[in-house]
Amino acid sequence: MDKHTLLENELSAWVELHRAEIIETTQAFLRIPSVGGTSAPGAPFGAETRQALDFALSLAETSGLAVKNLDGYAAHAEYCAPGIPSDAPIVGALAHVDVVPPGTGWTHPPFGAEIEGGKIYARGVLDDKGPAMAALWAILALKSCAAPLTRRVRLILGANEESGFECVKHYFAHEEMPVTGFTPDAMFPLVHAEKGIVNAVLTRAALPEGERIHVVSLSGGQRPNMVPDTAVAILKSPAPWAATVARLNAVVGIHTEEINGGEHLTIAAQGISAHGSTPEAGVNAVGILCDALLLLDHHEDQVVIVQQIHAWAEDTTGAALGIAGQDEVTGPLTCNLGVAEIGDGQASLTFNIRYPVTWNSEDLRRRLVTGIASSGWTLSSFTDQPPLYVPLDDPLVTTLLEVYRAETGDQTAPMTMGGGTYARAMANGVAFGPEFRDKDPHDGGPHEKDECWPVEHLIRATKIYAKALARLASL
Ligand SMILES: [Zn+2]
């Protein structure tokens, strides 16, 4: 038997032996409705997120781990193997205790953590409280088996992943960055590359009023990272609306209504929403609306502007902005016109751009400025979340993959994503689980109704995390 096998067999056996406790504590943890809420002393993201941190810390402390709560923003629980220095490098598992609101349509109480058909149903069971418990029990297994590690192992729990990452910003402003680690907040086998995410805002003076039909206002989309599924324009015209209405009502996806006693006409467009990382999967309502507006008899300057917005709304490759391209790791750049606002003399468009991991955001910014130079629009804001990229031959990737493959027999290659996971908060981290490839595709997933996770997956993830942490902490 090689040096890993003995310890790993011991860890597996320990997890099996503690199966009932792992399931029960996970259920109790899930019954805390830790949706981010109103800030209170010691609970910057609401009393329930604080309660969830306290629950995890008390379980960890009772079992002999060293714990620390950082003002309710985040917390950690640590195992320092016997005989190693207390300042040994840290291997981290980074998870979060806050959850998104349950929404409607559940067939199980979202904070009941009921088990039916071998699955635990609860908001947060996948994202991310179930895997947080798996990682905590993994560290408890290391401690109980007195695993002879050379690095410290630390579970870091944030309380604000779903709405701003303030938790990890606060945490890493005060605490050491792990040398390596993972976040159990996506899927197995692992995600080793995540595109960079830019939000770019273009602005210009609003549409000049003319003799003919005039766009008074236009608005579409709520958030940059979603494809707008609705867009509305309000028009003004010196002539009666009858002919315009007849022409527009023939367009699919368009709905018109005269308001203010016929002084204005509203035009509403219906598109199909999609996540900002996959804009090609949606249909941008702003594009449909502009299509309709181009059928009308506008002042000439307005036509140019509407044509421009139309071109940008319908393009999801970045070509219309002059920034299209790709790399071999993560494929093509994607671009989503997520929010459009015209009104009060000002027009603004917010694009959510996901760029390949090997690119540099400063080059991208320069190309964008060049690409829009003759459009009449200017770049007024450019915020960048840099890409995450851990090469396939990095010891972190090879180690995690080895453990996962030994446990499951699944040979699926590591993945890349356009979306952003919690792993970005770490210097050398990847997303590792918790969703297994043999999950039932009809089960509720993260942020969906009836979010659920098979009990066997919870146990399997606990074993995988214990073995992975053990290997990373003896590299
Ligand atoms: Zn999450």
Side-chain angles (χ1 to χ4, degrees):
M1 273 195 234
D2 76 10
K3 64 172 175 146
H4 296 306
T5 317
L6 265 177
L7 174 62
E8 289 183 0
N9 287 346
E10 213 185 321
L11 292 170
S12 273
W14 191 92
V15 170
E16 281 301 335
L17 200 64
H18 292 79
R19 181 179 263 279
E21 285 167 84
I22 294 172
I23 297 165
E24 278 161 29
T25 52
T26 300
Q27 285 177 292
F29 190 43
L30 290 166
R31 290 187 185 118
I32 303 166
S34 53
V35 178
T38 319
S39 116
F45 314 113
E48 289 79 11
T49 60
R50 170 69 198 237
Q51 198 190 335
L53 286 179
D54 288 344
F55 178 96
L57 288 200
S58 105
L59 173 60
E61 197 170 22
T62 314
S63 313
L65 301 184
V67 301
K68 183 169 179 181
N69 185 330
L70 285 94
D71 316 312
Y73 281 82
H76 72 234
E78 182 181 285
Y79 167 57
C80 185
I84 65 164
S86 60
D87 62 350
I90 296 167
V91 171
L94 174 63
H96 63 93
V97 302
D98 58 317
V99 298
V100 294
T104 55
W106 287 68
T107 62
H108 296 263
F111 297 108
E114 291 174 352
I115 297 178
E116 192 189 299
K119 296 168 185 173
I120 309 176
Y121 286 82
R123 170 57 81 230
V125 67
L126 286 168
D127 184 14
D128 191 38
K129 287 160 81 183
M133 271 294 132
L136 176 53
W137 279 99
I139 298 175
L140 296 181
L142 297 176
K143 156 103 174 113
S144 297
C145 299
L149 312 176
T150 56
R151 295 167 163 181
R152 288 179 287 164
V153 177
R154 189 180 271 191
L155 171 65
I156 301 166
L157 294 171
N160 175 238
E161 189 271 348
E162 298 289 1
S163 49
F165 279 40
E166 289 306 318
C167 49
V168 276
K169 285 179 203 155
H170 184 89
Y171 183 85
F172 288 120
H174 295 89
E175 290 289 327
E176 195 179 328
M177 177 64 71
V179 287
T180 192
F182 60 82
T183 175
D185 197 14
M187 66 279 270
F188 286 112
L190 60 87
V191 181
H192 76 109
E194 301 173 17
K195 287 177 183 171
I197 307 175
V198 158
N199 281 331
V201 182
L202 306 189
T203 52
R204 58 158 298 145
L207 313 171
E209 193 164 347
E211 298 292 290
R212 290 172 281 176
I213 291 174
H214 173 66
V215 179
V216 178
S217 72
L218 183 154
S219 85
Q222 311 284 328
R223 291 189 293 164
N225 67 351
M226 297 296 293
V227 175
D229 62 350
T230 59
V232 179
I234 297 179
L235 307 185
K236 208 167 119 178
S237 167
W241 290 113
T244 305
V245 167
R247 192 181 295 180
L248 289 175
N249 283 349
V251 180
V252 178
I254 290 290
H255 177 82
T256 62
E257 191 183 342
E258 287 182 44
I259 55 169
N260 303 332
E263 190 189 338
H264 294 105
L265 183 74
T266 65
I267 310 183
Q270 183 71 45
I272 299 170
S273 189
H275 193 256
S277 61
T278 52
E280 67 283 357
V283 179
N284 197 317
V286 176
I288 299 175
L289 180 64
C290 290
D291 250 337
L293 292 175
L294 289 169
L295 295 173
L296 306 180
D297 178 30
H298 291 278
H299 179 273
E300 204 170 291
D301 288 347
Q302 286 212 326
V303 173
V304 173
I305 292 170
V306 174
Q307 276 172 340
Q308 183 63 77
I309 299 175
H310 179 245
W312 284 337
E314 300 221 318
D315 168 44
T316 59
T317 67
L321 288 166
I323 54 170
Q326 56 186 303
D327 75 3
E328 289 196 347
V329 185
T330 39
L333 172 145
T334 63
C335 180
N336 174 50
L337 172 54
V339 183
E341 290 291 345
I342 297 176
D344 292 333
Q346 173 85 357
S348 93
L349 303 173
T350 306
F351 295 87
N352 186 248
I353 299 161
R354 314 277 170 142
Y355 63 93
V357 289
T358 56
W359 286 22
N360 165 306
S361 72
E362 189 45 38
D363 289 343
L364 176 64
R365 199 187 63 79
R366 272 196 294 269
R367 285 179 62 198
L368 179 57
V369 168
T370 309
I372 62 169
S374 58
S375 69
W377 296 75
T378 52
L379 179 62
S380 65
S381 160
F382 184 94
T383 55
D384 176 37
Q385 246 185 291
L388 175 147
Y389 180 38
V390 182
L392 290 174
D393 60 357
D394 188 283
L396 173 61
V397 172
T398 55
T399 303
L400 296 184
L401 208 54
E402 234 173 79
V403 170
Y404 169 80
R405 287 179 172 172
E407 193 69 34
T408 63
D410 172 41
Q411 300 297 312
T412 305
M415 299 161 176
T416 69
M417 273 177 42
T421 76
Y422 217 22
R424 284 172 196 253
M426 278 195 286
N428 176 253
V430 296
F432 186 46
E435 287 199 73
F436 285 102
R437 299 187 56 80
D438 59 353
K439 68 169 264 183
D440 181 340
H442 303 296
D443 281 350
H447 299 209
E448 294 175 2
K449 64 183 178 184
D450 281 334
E451 181 177 349
C452 65
W453 203 24
V455 168
E456 286 317 311
H457 288 194
L458 165 66
I459 299 298
R460 197 198 281 162
T462 306
K463 292 177 187 171
I464 290 175
Y465 292 153
K467 296 171 188 182
L469 289 168
R471 288 205 194 191
L472 293 176
S474 23
L475 283 179

